[in-house]
Amino acid sequence: MIYFRQSLFWSSVHDFAAPPRARRPRLTTLITTGLVAAVLLSVFAVLGLVSHNAHQKSEREARERLQQLSWQMRDTLNRVVLSAINDIKLVRELPQISNPRSPDEARKVLEALQKSSPDYAWIGLGHPDGKVYAATQGTLEGQDVSTRNWFNHGHDRYYASDYHPTTLLGKKLPGSADPWRFVDVAGPVTGPDGQFRAVLCVQMSWTWARRLVQSLLPPGAQLNGVEIFVLRPDGTVILGPQGMEDTVIRSTSLSLAQSGTAGSVRENWADGKTYLTAYALTGDAEDRSNLSWTVLVRQPEAIALASAEQLQRPILLLGALLAVLAGLISMLMARRLLAPLNALSADIENRLAAQDHSAPLPPIAQVDSFHEGQVLSQALAELVRKEESHLDSLRNLNERLETTVAQRTREIAGKAMLLERALAQEQSTQMLLQERAAELRAILDNAYDAFIALDPGGVVLDWNRQAEKLLGWSRAEVIGQPLAAMVLPPLLRRAYERDMRQLAESGGDTVLNRRIELTLHNRAGQELTVEVALAYVPRSSGHLFIAFLHDISERKSLFASMEAMALRDTLTGLPNRRALLVALNDAIQRANRLRQNCAVFFVDLDRFKQINDRYGHEEGDELLRQFAQRLHENVRKTDTVGRLAGDEFVVILENLQDDSAAQETADKLRPALLQPFKLKTTSVTLSASIGIAVHHPDDPHDIEMLLGRADRAMYQDKQLGKPLRVRR
């Protein structure tokens, strides 16, 4: 037995020490691959860094070149306009212009200025009457220019107009492939006395701007895609590449330039290409003599950054060459350095492959060629020695383990038998509990009253079928929900929570053998009056509350109906004697509290017995009903009308300022009661006797005495034929 276990143990050790292994790559291959990968990563990192820096530098230099072109174009445009203004300032001081004796004299000066500046297509002098007094080559002399902008704005200041075509002057000038376009610069001319004499205008041909673009662009710039645009404030191109003039541009660079800044931006244009665009704004917005044009200089991003792209190729080739050289060198070095480790690895594999563990295993070869190999071989030899020692210890431990396992097996068998008995008993108890729970559930579900179980926080734990019928929620909907939020009105929830806390603190003593009436809301929002029997059930993990609810809404409605019937006269529907006594008592209390008078009318129908005897009780009852209705309709809504008995009625008046108010009400009531009463078979007219008794705030609170005074006053009214008031 022991030999068999030792063999099994050594087999498991062998299996653990030498599991089936997949073929792994050699260390030489790994080192060579690692070095090559490191060189490649380094080359690619350097390539990325150089490419990024070259890209940034190329973009920065391209932007600087484009910005310089935009600034040069802006400054040159400003200088040309300013030069024209300075020419006007200089010429207007000449006496031939400020006080000319003839148009010829002024024309000579203007033509001399035109020869010195060939871009001046036309120079003219406009008189205050709006006609051209003198002009170069006599063009437009005598013509009315009063509607021209340069004439209207050049009276009191220097003015420069935007780029525009002119059909009138264009017809006088030599023919051109492109339509003539001009920029007007004008200024006022004053005489020796300082008075306004004329407006001097210089119209510059737009060809100077085209020549300016050609002079600013360096040789080869057009081949590199550099283009210059001059735009109006509305984005219209007035100078640009062929085919784009007179078109409208909307771009980020235009918005930035019009905000008053100068710089460059990378943006996409309408042609779908990406450009580096420099922008600048000419003139001064506060000086009308300057023009606010936007200068844009763009170059395709691919052309601007082409030098950075070209730099990447030689770096990539150099990196590949370095990787190949590094791989060859690392492979030769790895083979030489790892030869001792390969021998050590072969020894270890031989020991793992040995099948007979009883035979002595081959020794571990010692490596002395380098320090690390020497340390590793010595460590492995020591490890083998310790392993053999551990194997001897394991053999001894295995023998002791067998004895212990047998002893523990016998103990476990005994405990397993006891556990089986306990489980059988627990299963029997569990089945009994399930039967009791099923019986209890059947009792609760078929109970006549609604059953609700709550935890200490008022959350529903159980809910029977009668509760579903009574309140409208199913059991699945209410489990885990707070009961108060569902069935109690908001004003009663705080009191409910307080009562539940007191009930928990008292341990249920306060509700034993007691039933409580509550008004609840069902799911449809209807009010229900229920009788609640509440019980407190202590548990090991706290406590719970059990409530049985019985619907008493029908019983309450029946009691209310019976009470209402007990307080109403069945014939007329008016309050009866019992209700009148209650109403009169309340009226006297209000009168004493408000320090006002109240009065009691004792009203009796005259000759009612004769009508009743002659026409029958049905007609008599109909007469009493109509009399009661007419009496009720002719008093205030705040007054109370009731029937004592037979044909005797009582009216209670409240909020009277004085005694005369009661008399006035009786005087208004008599004519209404004298109107004919239409019965089923006849029509009768009757009078009524009214006795009045007034209660003052200082009078005794005696209802019978007040009614007696009113009764006596009514009989006196019936005997004497006029109303009497009884006070004391």
Side-chain angles (χ1 to χ4, degrees):
M1 174 95 179
I2 296 177
Y3 174 77
F4 173 75
R5 291 182 179 273
Q6 289 178 345
S7 300
L8 183 61
F9 172 77
W10 283 111
S11 177
S12 62
V13 170
H14 178 268
D15 293 340
F16 177 78
R21 295 180 299 153
R23 187 171 182 82
R24 303 297 182 186
R26 308 287 299 181
L27 183 58
T28 305
T29 305
L30 295 177
I31 294 177
T32 303
T33 305
L35 288 176
V36 173
V39 172
L40 287 176
L41 289 176
S42 301
V43 171
F44 287 140
V46 171
L47 176 61
L49 180 62
V50 172
S51 175
H52 177 71
N53 292 336
H55 187 278
Q56 286 189 338
K57 183 178 180 181
S58 298
E59 183 177 354
R60 183 169 59 253
E61 291 176 352
R63 289 195 180 198
E64 290 176 355
R65 290 195 302 270
L66 297 177
Q67 287 178 9
Q68 289 176 0
L69 285 176
S70 67
W71 295 338
Q72 291 174 6
M73 187 67 183
R74 175 197 63 188
D75 296 341
T76 305
L77 290 174
N78 290 337
R79 282 197 301 272
V80 171
V81 176
L82 182 60
S83 176
I85 293 174
N86 291 334
D87 289 343
I88 292 175
K89 291 181 180 180
L90 180 63
V91 171
R92 77 172 195 149
E93 300 296 333
L94 299 176
Q96 296 89 337
I97 299 301
S98 62
N99 190 18
R101 288 174 291 185
S102 66
D104 293 337
E105 182 181 16
R107 188 182 309 113
K108 291 179 181 180
V109 175
L110 298 180
E111 290 177 350
L113 177 60
Q114 188 181 34
K115 290 180 180 180
S116 65
S117 300
D119 292 325
Y120 294 169
W122 180 83
I123 307 174
L125 191 66
H127 264 191
D129 60 358
K131 294 183 179 181
V132 178
Y133 176 73
T136 55
Q137 289 79 41
T139 306
L140 300 182
E141 287 187 359
Q143 294 288 336
D144 187 2
V145 293
S146 60
T147 59
R148 302 298 177 85
N149 288 334
W150 62 264
F151 182 81
N152 292 326
H153 293 288
H155 281 77
D156 53 357
R157 66 179 184 274
Y158 294 101
Y159 169 77
S161 70
D162 203 353
Y163 159 92
H164 65 88
T166 174
T167 57
L168 183 60
L169 184 57
K171 295 178 181 179
K172 305 294 184 179
L173 297 175
S176 174
D178 296 330
W180 286 97
R181 298 291 187 269
F182 302 96
V183 174
D184 299 339
V185 180
V189 177
T190 58
D193 56 355
Q195 296 296 322
F196 172 72
R197 294 295 182 85
V199 176
L200 181 60
C201 175
V202 174
Q203 289 191 339
M204 296 184 293
S205 172
W206 192 241
T207 56
W208 62 270
R210 300 186 187 279
R211 291 197 306 273
L212 176 60
V213 172
Q214 295 176 358
S215 64
L216 286 179
L217 288 177
Q222 294 182 352
L223 297 178
N224 292 333
V226 178
E227 296 172 329
I228 297 179
F229 295 80
V230 179
L231 291 78
R232 284 200 185 107
D234 62 354
T236 302
V237 178
I238 59 178
L239 182 64
Q242 186 177 3
M244 295 194 67
E245 292 186 355
D246 295 328
T247 61
V248 178
I249 292 177
R250 296 285 185 268
S251 64
T252 304
S253 56
L254 176 61
S255 303
L256 293 173
Q258 290 179 347
S259 66
T261 61
S264 62
V265 68
R266 179 181 178 274
E267 61 182 355
N268 295 324
W269 282 58
D271 58 0
K273 297 181 180 180
T274 302
Y275 293 88
L276 297 180
T277 307
Y279 52 87
L281 186 66
T282 67
D284 187 354
E286 298 180 357
D287 188 355
R288 291 299 303 272
S289 65
N290 293 324
L291 294 174
S292 295
W293 290 333
T294 300
V295 177
L296 301 181
V297 182
R298 74 177 189 179
Q299 184 181 20
E301 185 184 33
I303 297 176
L305 305 180
S307 60
E309 299 293 337
Q310 295 174 357
L311 184 61
Q312 294 179 358
R313 296 195 186 113
I315 296 177
L316 185 60
L317 293 176
L318 179 60
L321 180 59
L322 290 176
V324 172
L325 293 176
L328 293 175
I329 294 173
S330 60
M331 182 175 62
L332 295 175
M333 293 182 62
R335 286 185 176 179
R336 182 174 182 82
L337 293 175
L338 296 179
L341 291 181
N342 290 333
L344 184 61
S345 176
D347 291 343
I348 296 175
E349 289 179 352
N350 293 332
R351 292 181 66 87
L352 293 176
Q355 298 295 329
D356 187 6
H357 296 284
S358 60
L361 297 176
I364 299 297
Q366 296 296 313
V367 178
D368 296 327
S369 57
F370 55 93
H371 176 71
E372 288 78 4
Q374 183 182 20
V375 172
L376 179 59
S377 61
Q378 291 177 356
L380 287 175
E382 181 65 19
L383 182 62
V384 169
R385 186 188 64 79
K386 290 182 178 180
E387 181 184 2
E388 293 175 350
S389 175
H390 289 162
L391 288 177
D392 293 337
S393 300
L394 286 175
R395 292 189 189 96
N396 298 330
L397 181 62
N398 184 36
E399 294 176 356
R400 292 196 299 270
L401 182 61
E402 288 181 352
T403 304
T404 305
V405 167
Q407 182 180 358
R408 294 293 184 269
T409 302
R410 289 191 296 272
E411 294 177 357
I412 291 174
K415 292 181 179 179
M417 187 177 297
L418 295 176
L419 181 59
E420 288 178 358
R421 295 175 183 174
L423 289 175
Q425 185 177 1
E426 182 180 357
Q427 185 176 6
S428 175
T429 305
Q430 187 70 22
M431 293 179 61
L432 182 61
L433 290 176
Q434 291 177 355
E435 292 175 356
R436 295 293 184 268
E439 294 174 0
L440 180 59
R441 170 51 57 187
I443 293 172
L444 292 177
D445 286 341
N446 294 279
Y448 181 71
D449 290 340
F451 166 78
I452 301 175
L454 306 172
D455 69 359
V459 175
V460 177
L461 299 177
D462 203 353
W463 185 278
N464 69 349
R465 294 176 184 174
Q466 189 61 31
E468 294 180 351
K469 295 178 182 179
L470 178 64
L471 299 176
W473 286 280
S474 66
R475 184 174 182 271
E477 291 176 323
V478 300
I479 297 301
Q481 300 296 326
L483 179 65
M486 293 190 297
V487 302
L488 286 181
L491 297 177
L492 297 180
R493 293 175 189 172
R494 191 181 300 276
Y496 162 79
E497 295 173 356
R498 183 185 63 248
D499 294 343
M500 294 294 283
R501 287 195 301 269
Q502 293 178 355
L503 181 62
E505 294 172 357
S506 63
D509 296 338
T510 57
V511 293
L512 293 177
N513 302 322
R514 291 180 56 191
R515 290 184 175 269
I516 305 171
E517 288 188 9
L518 289 177
T519 300
L520 307 180
H521 288 169
N522 62 11
R523 187 171 190 170
Q526 301 172 343
E527 288 190 354
L528 300 174
T529 304
V530 298
E531 190 176 63
V532 182
L534 195 62
Y536 172 86
V537 180
R539 306 178 72 179
S540 59
S541 58
H543 59 273
L544 58 82
F545 299 104
I546 293 177
F548 287 90
L549 282 65
H550 183 72
D551 186 6
I552 59 172
S553 300
E554 294 183 0
R555 186 174 69 189
K556 296 289 288 187
S557 177
L558 178 62
F559 287 167
S561 176
M562 294 175 61
E563 185 176 359
M565 292 175 60
L567 296 176
R568 289 287 172 180
D569 179 58
T570 57
L571 178 63
T572 62
L574 296 177
N576 57 15
R577 179 182 183 86
R578 179 182 174 188
L580 279 173
L581 293 177
V582 175
L584 182 58
N585 180 64
D586 296 340
I588 292 175
Q589 291 180 356
R590 282 192 293 271
N592 293 337
R593 185 171 61 254
L594 300 176
R595 306 303 295 173
Q596 291 182 343
N597 300 337
C598 70
V600 176
F601 288 1
F602 210 101
V603 184
D604 182 74
L605 273 173
D606 298 332
R607 299 185 299 108
F608 171 73
K609 188 175 183 305
Q610 300 176 10
I611 298 300
N612 198 32
D613 294 341
R614 182 177 180 180
Y615 296 105
H617 292 289
E618 291 186 2
E619 294 288 61
D621 292 343
E622 179 64 22
L623 176 61
L624 289 177
R625 281 193 290 270
Q626 293 186 16
F627 181 79
Q629 181 178 1
R630 188 175 299 178
L631 189 64
H632 184 270
E633 291 174 350
N634 287 276
V635 297
R636 298 173 301 179
K637 292 183 179 181
T638 58
D639 299 333
T640 303
V641 178
R643 181 187 178 201
L644 283 181
D647 59 343
E648 295 178 347
F649 294 85
V650 171
V651 180
I652 302 173
L653 305 179
E654 297 187 58
N655 300 324
L656 303 178
Q657 300 296 329
D658 49 28
D659 295 354
S660 62
Q663 186 63 47
E664 292 175 359
T665 302
D667 294 340
K668 294 178 182 179
L669 190 61
R670 290 177 187 277
L673 300 178
L674 287 174
Q675 298 296 323
F677 294 93
K678 294 181 180 181
L679 305 179
K680 295 180 180 180
T681 60
T682 186
S683 176
V684 298
T685 301
L686 297 176
S687 61
S689 300
I690 301 176
I692 304 172
V694 178
H695 173 80
H696 300 86
D698 297 329
D699 292 346
H701 189 102
D702 192 338
I703 297 175
E704 296 297 334
M705 183 180 68
L706 186 62
L707 287 174
R709 287 161 44 199
D711 188 21
R712 289 193 297 273
M714 183 271 295
Y715 279 107
Q716 293 180 13
D717 178 43
K718 187 183 290 290
Q719 294 173 2
L720 300 178
K722 63 178 180 178
L724 295 177
R725 180 186 300 114
V726 180
R727 290 192 57 195
R728 301 293 183 188

